[in-house]
Amino acid sequence: MATPTPDQILEALKSVEDPDLHRDIVSLGFVQDLKVEGDKVAFTLQLTTPACPIRDQLKASAEGAVAALEGVATVEVALSATVPSSAGPGTAGAEPVAPGVKNIILVGSGKGGVGKSTVAVNLAVALKQLGASVGLMDADVYGPSVPMMLGVSDAQPTSKDGKHLEPIEVDGLKVMSIGFLVESDQAMIWRGPMLNQAVVQFLRDVRWGELDYLVVDLPPGTGDVQLTIAQQVRAAGSVLVSTPQDVALLDVIRAKGMMDRVQIPVLGLVENMSFFLCSHCNERTEIFDHGGAREAAKKLSVPFLGAIPIQPAVREGGDRGKPVVMADPESEISQTFLQVAREVAHQVSLAAVGETETAAPTLRMSP
Ligand code: ADP
């Protein structure tokens, strides 16, 4: 039986569509390194993020489409990912942070105490665990808590060239915080335009290297520092964190308004402290009127990224310097954070793929 030609195989693969991008995987440039050897077909699916939530589904569909062709006995599909950059032309005045930083994700909240830093830290760790190269910038000048949450409060960043700071590495995650340089209670007294510029400059003065994602933990609220960062840093988008109470949700609407003003897409809303999940009996208790953020996301027409329960393990992880996703990655709560990270990566891909041309498929025929 005749083996199908590469063109016939690509034609068959065109029937596989990415359900979110609404385009087939061939025109998206996902199919790479197609090899046909007798009745064996092998190719790589190059996705836009290692944290793709539908990677297994796409792989199975692609395998199925080729296996159905006559003359094909085996199909081998390898998965890889190249994260596209959203650091292209952006809003006037916004500059990329560094040439190697592909996507900046701003994590904000309408008010303090809703778990913004907790979400930023666990999101960064989760993206790293899903295979991406990740940095975490603690820009919460009024209460830098990232060093404590990652157990590196005593770290002293160094500089090799006298101009750039080397980030601190925690399990492969590159971390920088204003808290490394000043005592957290001193940061509180900084105010005014000098501070706003200083924070943006600080972000640029770090030698981040090559990063798929740089997660930035913003100060809470919608003040000048947040606005200056959002205006001057070319971000892929923002993740807004809220608790389910009405007051917090009203504040998050203000935060969305600020992002709109500076044309930063809101990648989605996370509901933190959504409900209480008892670690002994697994019973779920709705402490607040749970579900408010999902409703708010709908009203604001932004994606809902997930609901994080209130659990002692989350606070303990933060206090002990080992975020729960690092300390206990298999736990249910960590799986929820990982799912939020997949959704965030997915939203970044949607935004970036919409803007960039994708690569043509590469073919490798055996002689
Ligand atoms: P923010 O950055 O919004 O001010 P933090 O991330 O510092 O808030 O969180 C405030 C406190 O709440 C911290 O002690 C943190 O450990 C705790 N916390 C945050 N999210 C959760 C959660 N889902 N379950 C339990 N404790 C949490």
Side-chain angles (χ1 to χ4, degrees):
M1 202 176 298
T3 314
T5 63
D7 279 348
Q8 286 167 328
I9 292 168
L10 288 176
E11 204 47 47
L13 285 170
K14 280 187 189 162
S15 67
V16 181
E17 203 177 75
D18 183 304
D20 298 299
L21 298 171
H22 305 295
R23 271 168 66 189
D24 71 84
I25 59 172
V26 178
S27 74
L28 282 166
F30 288 0
V31 180
Q32 300 287 327
D33 271 345
L34 176 59
K35 280 187 274 181
V36 187
E37 277 175 25
D39 57 6
K40 292 196 190 99
V41 178
F43 56 92
T44 299
L45 275 188
Q46 193 166 57
L47 306 175
T48 51
T49 173
C52 177
I54 50 164
R55 46 189 280 141
D56 296 332
Q57 183 191 328
L58 283 177
K59 183 176 183 231
S61 304
E63 251 163 18
V66 178
L69 291 173
E70 263 186 51
V72 174
T74 55
V75 187
E76 252 177 55
V77 184
L79 285 174
S80 79
T82 304
V83 177
S85 171
S86 63
T91 324
E95 297 281 334
V97 155
V101 176
K102 288 182 176 171
N103 298 290
I104 294 182
I105 300 167
L106 306 176
V107 180
S109 65
K111 67 191 202 88
V114 297
K116 171 188 50 61
S117 298
T118 303
V119 170
V121 168
N122 281 289
L123 169 65
V125 174
L127 286 169
K128 178 83 197 69
Q129 286 185 356
L130 290 166
S133 49
V134 187
L136 172 62
M137 172 75 188
D138 178 5
D140 190 347
V141 277
Y142 301 121
S145 51
V146 167
M148 182 195 79
M149 288 184 174
L150 285 169
V152 286
S153 299
D154 296 332
Q156 295 275 318
T158 54
S159 174
K160 286 184 183 151
D161 60 2
K163 288 190 198 134
H164 296 90
L165 285 172
E166 302 297 322
I168 302 296
E169 291 224 7
V170 183
D171 279 8
L173 180 72
K174 293 184 179 173
V175 185
M176 184 51 73
S177 169
I178 212 125
F180 290 144
L181 308 180
V182 290
E183 296 294 327
S184 51
D185 54 343
Q186 280 178 17
M188 296 291 288
I189 57 172
W190 293 13
R191 295 264 180 248
M194 287 277 285
L195 168 66
N196 307 342
Q197 288 304 328
V199 176
V200 174
Q201 193 56 46
F202 184 44
L203 189 56
R204 297 193 198 286
D205 285 346
V206 180
R207 196 186 297 282
W208 292 111
E210 301 289 319
L211 293 182
D212 293 326
Y213 306 105
L214 174 60
V215 177
V216 178
D217 183 17
L218 292 176
T222 49
D224 283 346
V225 182
Q226 299 84 318
L227 191 64
T228 310
I229 296 174
Q231 260 170 343
Q232 297 193 5
V233 166
R234 199 172 292 160
S238 62
V239 170
L240 300 179
V241 183
S242 179
T243 52
Q245 302 104 310
D246 289 346
V247 276
L249 290 166
L250 280 178
D251 286 326
V252 97
I253 292 169
R254 240 194 312 275
K256 160 84 164 61
M258 180 184 85
M259 294 298 168
D260 287 349
R261 269 206 308 287
V262 290
Q263 295 168 29
I264 301 235
V266 175
L267 302 167
L269 211 59
V270 175
E271 182 169 277
N272 187 35
M273 310 196 202
S274 181
F275 52 91
F276 174 69
L277 195 62
C278 175
S279 46
H280 302 292
C281 66
N282 239 12
E283 195 195 352
R284 193 176 156 131
T285 311
E286 312 285 338
I287 297 180
F288 308 118
D289 196 10
H290 151 77
R294 190 186 284 275
E295 282 295 306
K298 213 162 147 190
K299 277 195 201 126
L300 294 170
S301 302
V302 298
F304 182 67
L305 300 169
I308 315 279
I310 182 163
Q311 260 198 346
V314 177
R315 189 198 48 76
E316 284 160 18
D319 288 353
R320 286 199 198 129
K322 214 145 181 78
V324 68
V325 177
M326 222 182 240
D328 192 5
E330 298 305 321
S331 63
E332 201 175 325
I333 182 96
S334 298
Q335 292 302 315
T336 308
F337 274 119
L338 284 158
Q339 191 51 31
V340 168
R342 287 189 195 95
E343 282 303 321
V344 171
H346 182 55
Q347 292 301 327
V348 172
S349 296
L350 287 182
V353 168
E355 284 170 13
T356 50
E357 283 297 306
T358 38
T362 56
L363 305 180
R364 239 195 288 151
M365 284 293 289
S366 22

